[in-house]
Amino acid sequence: MSAYQDDIKAVAALKEKFGSSWSAINPESVARMRAQNRFKTGLEIAQYTADIMRKDMAEYDADSSVYTQSLGCWHGFIGQQKLISIKKHLKTTNKRYLYLSGWMVAALRSEFGPLPDQSMHEKTAVSNLIEELYTFLRQADSRELDLLFTALDAAREAGDSAKAAEIQNQIDNYETHIVPIIADIDAGFGNPEATYLLAKRMIEAGACCIQIENQVSDEKQCGHQDGKVTVPHADFLAKIAAVRYAFLELGIDNGVIVARTDSLGAGLTKQIAVTKEPGDLGDLYNSFLDCEEVAASDLGNGDVVINRGGKLLRPKRLPSNLFQFRKGTGEDRCVLDCITSLQNGADLLWIETEKPHVGQIKGMVDRIREVIPNAKLVYNNSPSFNWTLNFRQQVFDAFVAEGKDVSAYDRAKLMSVEYDETELAKIADEKIRTFQKDGSANAGIFHHLITLPTYHTAALSTDNLAKGYFADQGMLAYVKGVQREELRQGIACVKHQNMAGSDIGDNHKEYFAGEAALKASGKDNTMNQFH
């Protein structure tokens, strides 16, 4: 028997127990409300979604073609509409997540107004957005089930038992919109205790997966900007441990931690690592520093030196009081970061790269897998990359290597529309289309995400509407570009009153007041024009 039927029986028994004072209670209405409120707390969501991620990770280990995907969100409504779209077009949410982007929290959710991705926004904005996303996803469940309940009542009223049985089966086997969220905690917003406290808030809000990066918290930069400063491994591992303790304290024993390294593009460190003996982790970190050998007599006031093998080495210190790494060491530092993170509590890796190139990613992952055979990545399919230019240049370079004639192309101007219908451009587009599949099969990428998609889609769609509406198109710009397409493509939001919960409220009013209920969905509701 389904949970729905179980609830009807259980409430009917309660109704009988409490007698006439419960005469107004309809057991099936209660069962419907319970179905529409499956998840009572954020911790229930965190556990449910952690189980999903662990299952998906195991399935990927067995078959790298079953990778996972997500799109970045900055508002609960955006996340809700993504999942509604996924269920509508693909019929299942399997292997599809949401990504909570720290960049978009900074740019769009701070009370200070738009901020760069430098951890200057309120840290609670992150956990608040997780809670908001799940509030909207739960409402998507409630709305869709409400439509099924309405259809069930109509089938029963029409005496169509076959249709009623079909709808009841959909209710009994309903797939929720609740999916895992990979949540960005930046560099932890402070020391390990601060990281632990924020991680707890995020998990309590529903996060089953927390992504943390190895930059200095108070010097944090976007992974695709200059000036990134990393911390010694011991500092980063302490924050990974803090996140794990937060998961364990709250009972989410299989919570997922994504360790992100920005070392490929980070040439600076704020600290010289503590080292106790040659070859330890601190010594390895320091070995990448850009140093010059000096004699004791050459030392100036305030100079910092390292003793390595009996030699005095002076790290190059910048006016900012930061130390720089030797050029060309980024990949080696990335590999070391990844291995040590996985050996010390992380579950997944994130390597921030400067371009989308499967060969580059594979080169690092292969080295990591020599030590950790099941190492796998979360990869940022970033809008910070010029995908068109990058892939056209990759194809151009492959043509040159193969001895093909490239005289018709200017490598520096391959973004130009004049190349759109060329052989080179078509091959590049196909490589972009298959990038995620190729990256997962060949470079260990378990999860592909786009950090900022709706930041850009909102800007593009708003520009398209504004340029017509405020010019000579007036309402036609909205009707032709938005509403007509909503209707023809079956976008649920065209019935915006229903999406906002009006029909759910009407049904509740009827549960509570029966025939006396004052409902909004009568014949004069203009939403009826969209039936």
Side-chain angles (χ1 to χ4, degrees):
M1 186 176 292
S2 71
Y4 184 77
Q5 299 298 332
D6 286 343
D7 280 337
I8 293 175
K9 285 194 167 186
V11 177
L14 277 174
K15 181 176 178 179
E16 183 176 352
K17 175 182 176 181
F18 285 95
S20 60
S21 66
W22 278 35
S23 61
I25 301 301
N26 181 329
E28 186 163 15
S29 297
V30 176
R32 290 179 176 187
M33 295 174 80
R34 287 182 177 179
Q36 289 172 298
N37 189 29
R38 172 180 172 182
F39 299 97
K40 309 299 189 295
T41 69
L43 287 178
E44 287 183 14
I45 291 172
Q47 186 60 73
Y48 172 77
T49 53
D51 292 342
I52 291 174
M53 275 200 77
R54 291 291 178 175
K55 175 185 71 70
D56 289 347
M57 289 161 67
E59 290 177 0
Y60 176 81
D61 286 340
D63 179 0
S64 61
S65 70
V66 289
Y67 57 89
T68 57
Q69 299 168 292
S70 67
L71 292 171
C73 295
W74 51 272
H75 193 279
F77 177 74
I78 300 296
Q80 177 198 63
Q81 294 305 303
K82 287 176 186 174
L83 268 297
I84 288 174
S85 177
I86 287 167
K87 287 194 69 178
K88 170 187 162 187
H89 294 292
L90 304 169
K91 309 308 178 187
T92 179
T93 63
N94 186 38
K95 304 292 187 293
R96 285 114 189 177
Y97 304 170
L98 291 177
Y99 178 64
L100 186 154
S101 162
W103 193 101
M104 286 209 282
V105 173
L108 298 168
R109 299 300 300 254
S110 174
E111 293 182 12
F112 294 103
L115 294 173
D117 185 18
Q118 296 174 0
S119 289
M120 295 190 292
H121 56 280
E122 306 85 353
K123 62 176 71 175
T124 51
V126 184
S127 53
N128 290 346
L129 179 53
I130 296 168
E131 184 175 16
E132 178 180 293
L133 283 163
Y134 281 125
T135 296
F136 273 79
L137 293 180
R138 290 165 65 197
Q139 196 265 0
D141 282 357
S142 185
R143 171 190 165 273
E144 191 169 59
L145 282 164
D146 186 70
L147 293 173
L148 288 172
F149 297 148
T150 300
L152 178 62
D153 290 341
R156 288 172 174 172
E157 189 174 340
D160 190 340
S161 58
K163 185 66 174 177
E166 176 192 335
I167 297 168
Q168 185 64 61
N169 184 61
Q170 292 179 54
I171 294 168
D172 293 341
N173 296 285
Y174 183 76
E175 182 182 36
T176 177
H177 292 82
I178 299 293
V179 296
I181 291 175
I182 297 176
D184 185 0
I185 199 172
D186 282 10
F189 286 87
N191 61 25
E193 174 70 4
T195 301
Y196 151 78
L197 291 171
L198 179 55
K200 275 184 62 177
R201 285 285 295 268
M202 293 167 70
I203 298 162
E204 288 167 340
C208 73
C209 179
I210 293 177
Q211 167 220 329
I212 187 165
E213 62 200 55
N214 71 333
Q215 290 192 47
V216 177
S217 187
D218 60 354
E219 302 284 358
K220 184 259 190 301
Q221 297 280 7
C222 171
H224 293 285
Q225 291 186 312
D226 204 355
K228 295 183 289 295
V229 185
T230 63
V231 297
H233 292 90
D235 295 36
F236 187 50
L237 298 180
K239 291 188 176 182
I240 290 176
V243 176
R244 180 62 66 203
Y245 272 105
F247 273 123
L248 293 172
E249 177 184 338
L250 295 171
I252 312 301
D253 299 345
N254 59 348
V256 180
I257 299 174
V258 180
R260 167 176 151 180
T261 172
D262 283 280
S263 291
L264 193 63
L268 303 169
T269 184
K270 199 169 189 177
Q271 298 164 270
I272 295 173
V274 173
T275 173
K276 296 180 180 178
E277 58 185 43
D280 66 14
L281 201 50
D283 188 51
L284 289 173
Y285 186 82
N286 294 339
S287 71
F288 295 114
L289 291 170
D290 191 0
C291 301
E292 58 182 347
E293 187 175 349
V294 294
S297 58
D298 296 330
L299 296 178
N301 186 48
D303 272 355
V304 174
V305 294
I306 297 173
N307 177 10
R308 181 179 296 142
K311 296 179 180 178
L312 289 182
L313 302 177
R314 178 168 56 197
K316 292 183 179 177
R317 185 161 58 175
L318 305 178
S320 60
N321 204 28
L322 300 171
F323 300 95
Q324 67 183 35
F325 292 110
R326 298 193 313 278
K327 292 188 182 301
T329 62
E331 187 168 309
D332 289 338
R333 286 184 281 124
C334 267
V335 170
L336 181 61
D337 293 343
C338 291
I339 291 171
T340 56
S341 294
L342 292 176
Q343 289 174 332
N344 290 274
D347 302 292
L348 296 168
L349 303 171
W350 174 316
I351 299 175
E352 198 71 277
T353 64
E354 81 287 357
K355 60 182 180 295
H357 193 290
V358 171
Q360 178 194 35
I361 303 163
K362 173 178 167 53
M364 288 184 279
V365 171
D366 284 349
R367 293 175 61 189
I368 297 163
R369 285 183 163 179
E370 289 175 6
V371 182
I372 314 286
N374 69 338
K376 45 194 169 287
L377 298 183
V378 171
Y379 187 73
N380 177 7
N381 292 227
S382 177
S384 292
F385 303 142
N386 185 331
W387 285 78
T388 301
L389 182 60
N390 265 292
F391 276 86
R392 287 182 181 182
Q393 288 181 340
Q394 288 179 39
V395 174
F396 179 95
D397 294 341
F399 279 5
V400 171
E402 294 164 10
K404 288 189 176 182
D405 180 12
V406 293
S407 59
Y409 305 103
D410 182 342
R411 189 180 186 280
K413 298 179 180 178
L414 288 174
M415 181 70 194
S416 174
V417 67
E418 67 183 275
Y419 295 123
D420 282 359
E421 299 305 316
T422 63
E423 178 194 12
L424 182 148
K426 291 176 181 178
I427 294 173
D429 279 355
E430 178 62 11
K431 286 184 175 293
I432 293 170
R433 188 186 72 81
T434 63
F435 173 80
Q436 296 189 345
K437 178 182 177 182
D438 295 343
S440 292
N442 300 307
I445 301 175
F446 160 72
H447 185 81
H448 288 273
L449 61 90
I450 307 177
T451 43
L452 321 175
T454 48
Y455 182 88
H456 293 280
T457 55
L460 178 61
S461 60
T462 301
D463 182 81
N464 287 333
L465 173 60
K467 71 184 178 185
Y469 178 77
F470 291 107
D472 61 344
Q473 294 296 299
M475 273 305 294
L476 183 61
Y478 173 78
V479 172
K480 186 176 180 181
V482 181
Q483 189 180 82
R484 192 175 295 167
E485 290 305 309
E486 285 181 305
L487 286 163
R488 291 177 176 174
Q489 295 182 43
I491 305 300
C493 263
V494 73
K495 300 179 183 178
H496 48 257
Q497 307 284 19
N498 170 267
M499 185 59 65
S502 179
D503 292 337
I504 295 172
D506 273 359
N507 285 330
H508 285 175
K509 291 174 186 177
E510 193 167 10
Y511 298 166
F512 306 153
E515 293 182 356
L518 180 62
K519 303 198 316 188
S521 56
K523 63 181 179 62
D524 291 330
N525 188 323
T526 60
M527 287 288 100
N528 294 330
Q529 297 173 30
F530 301 111
H531 285 331

